[in-house]
Amino acid sequence: MSAAAEPVTPEPVAPRVETPLRRFISQFMESRIAVGALVVFTIIVLLAVFAPWITPQNPYDLFQLDIMDGRMEPGTVGGAGFTYWLGTDDQGRDMLSGIIYGLRISLIVGAGSAFIAGIIGASLGMLAAYAGGKTDTVIMRLVDLQLSFPTILAALMILAFLGKGISNVVIALVIVEWAYYARTVRGSALVERRREYVEAAQCLALPTWRIIFVHLLPNCLPPLIVIGTIQVARAIALEATLSFLGLGVPITEPSLGLLIANGYEYMLSGKYWISFYPGIALLITIVSINLVGDHLRDVLNPRLQK
């Protein structure tokens, strides 16, 4: 008779370590609205990136435009042989192609201006918080002066001086946006400045730039990410407003705002699609970014967590 088999003891399973990244993803995925908004925004970015390969027409190439196809209704087949699913504008520009190419300009201007303004504003905000004294006073008075001007009015004045162009629009938006980053980062840096790790770095006689950018900056990233996301949407809306008023991008490379402006005079005559569809695309883009940014604020702010 064989001996009874000894019971096999299962090996202990190591507990799953919850890293900050996993915790962040888990908390972000709890909101279906935010996840859906992120998916929509990702699709918008992909459309803008691959615009030359997915659009039937290059709306910025004047040789591809046919004035005889101007103001055609959605779903009409044009002289070029393809269907204008969203109609055409007064220049014979395919609205679907124009919207996708316009998204490229809106995203470039929004993300570019927010990134540059974030670097400038965050640097000045951390410098003001760390140095204190007269340095803090001067920087924050500049912030107060900047924020005292209406944003759209300041941008209009700058572009009236610089002229039209994508680069000039970015410069104007950087000038009117940096103060928001500076004030936000300064508030976070003032709290972090009193932490023990900053005092330890000071006792080690580390360079000021290293304390600010290596020790303070990483701990100020959560509010910086949130304000940056919101400012991207704000910059896109400002660029559309400036282009609508005629001081944004050139007419040969229209953004969503300029496309809306081009069709505004035809609204009363029933040619609604020239302004309506670019307006819907602009609305979806801004709302999706704002929804993602609002949920990021809830996730990255411990005081708002349950």
Side-chain angles (χ1 to χ4, degrees), residues 124-146 178 183 186 190 193:
L124 292 176
M126 287 186 294
L127 178 61
Y130 183 80
K134 293 183 179 180
T135 303
D136 184 22
T137 301
V138 172
I139 293 176
M140 295 316 297
R141 293 298 77 77
L142 289 175
V143 170
D144 294 338
L145 180 63
Q146 174 65 53
W178 71 270
R183 172 166 287 184
R186 175 182 176 270
L190 283 175
R193 181 188 172 202

Side-chain angles (χ1 to χ4, degrees), residues 98-117:
I99 289 172
I100 295 177
Y101 270 81
L103 286 171
R104 302 183 80 186
I105 293 182
S106 297
L107 293 175
I108 290 173
V109 171
S113 62
F115 179 75
I116 299 173

Side-chain angles (χ1 to χ4, degrees), residues 16-29:
R16 183 179 179 181
V17 179
E18 187 179 24
T19 62
L21 179 59
R22 288 179 177 176
R23 183 165 55 250
F24 168 78
I25 295 176
S26 175
Q27 292 176 350
F28 186 86
M29 296 294 290

